[in-house]
Amino acid sequence: MQKLTRVKTESLRSQEYSQHKEKLLEGFWKVGEKLPSEHELCETLGVSRVTVRAAIQQLEILGLVETRHGGGTYVREFSGVQALDNLHPLLRINKHKDIIAILEYRQIMEKGTVKLALRRMTAQDIKALEETYRKMVQFVDDPVRHAEADHSFHSLLANISQNPLLIKVSSMIYGILSTSMVDIVRLLGNDIGLRYHRELIDAIKRKDTEACERLMEEHIEKTIQAVIAHAATDGD
């Protein structure tokens, strides 16, 4: 079995993340196995701790590994990611056009999802949505945890819809959506998301289907336009 190799100087985080992901998928590290320490990875790969931590963070977002406080990083079960092997290039979200493509997908799917979810919404479901929003506010200065709460909100809507296909697709593309949400928060901040999630919950409480559909579509459209504007300033 191949060993890890030292990464090149360009795109260090991307290279290390890609190498780790491929090794995990190949079974280089087994489920439940502890990854080498940050120090060992720095020595082996020839990169800084900042680069190592950034790559590990991306793997955590995809659900490939979990970091236990004071206990290191361990490999998680990832059969769902393996099933999406043909979509792996999208998991390296580093271009505005990839983010926009994902947002366009969400704009189509989530408008219908919230409409269906509203038909089957219970008081307990609304309480769960409020809790995810509270976490978004709580982690406003932590892009990763804020994005996790954001994604949980949309996953909840899929589950509330009780449509098995929507639930399955949402689960299958977890990594793609999670990664894009972190990048969106880092690009744009979280003002747009907080505003629309709050208004969406309020519309759900009123059982206002038309407002829910409009807010979901408008939220994602404003995000798309903000990403386009950001890309124009970056020349990407």
Side-chain angles (χ1 to χ4, degrees), residues 78-94:
F78 46 84
S79 57
V81 176
Q82 286 175 306
L84 282 178
D85 190 60
N86 62 321
L87 290 178
H88 281 167
L90 274 179
L91 296 180
R92 303 182 182 99
I93 305 296
N94 55 17

Side-chain angles (χ1 to χ4, degrees), residues 86-174:
N86 62 321
L87 290 178
H88 281 167
L90 274 179
L91 296 180
R92 303 182 182 99
I93 305 296
N94 55 17
K95 294 292 183 182
H96 294 95
K97 64 181 180 180
D98 289 339
I99 295 175
I100 291 169
I102 293 167
L103 285 167
E104 288 173 342
Y105 164 83
R106 289 181 55 199
Q107 190 173 37
I108 295 167
M109 294 298 294
E110 293 192 26
K111 180 179 177 181
T113 298
V114 72
K115 179 179 180 179
L116 186 56
L118 193 58
R119 296 178 189 171
R120 296 160 181 173
M121 190 81 60
T122 67
Q124 191 62 32
D125 292 330
I126 294 173
K127 184 177 179 180
L129 291 171
E130 285 279 18
E131 177 61 18
T132 61
Y133 179 77
R134 185 191 66 77
K135 288 181 180 179
M136 288 177 67
V137 174
Q138 178 184 355
F139 298 121
V140 70
D141 295 321
D142 184 334
V144 173
R145 299 187 75 177
H146 178 88
E148 286 175 352
D150 189 342
H151 186 262
S152 293
F153 184 96
H154 293 276
S155 293
L156 272 171
L157 287 176
N159 289 331
I160 293 166
S161 78
Q162 299 178 33
N163 181 289
L165 188 56
L166 286 174
I167 294 168
K168 181 66 174 178
V169 172
S170 176
S171 175
M172 286 178 65
I173 62 174
Y174 171 86

Side-chain angles (χ1 to χ4, degrees), residues 42-89:
C42 290
E43 290 292 320
T44 302
L45 300 167
V47 296
S48 69
R49 288 196 176 219
V50 172
T51 300
V52 168
R53 287 172 184 169
I56 294 297
Q57 188 177 73
Q58 287 293 94
L59 294 172
E60 282 189 282
I61 292 168
L62 293 182
L64 294 176
V65 300
E66 63 176 346
T67 299
R68 302 172 187 172
H69 183 67
T73 301
Y74 293 79
V75 180
R76 296 180 62 184
E77 178 62 57
F78 46 84
S79 57
V81 176
Q82 286 175 306
L84 282 178
D85 190 60
N86 62 321
L87 290 178
H88 281 167

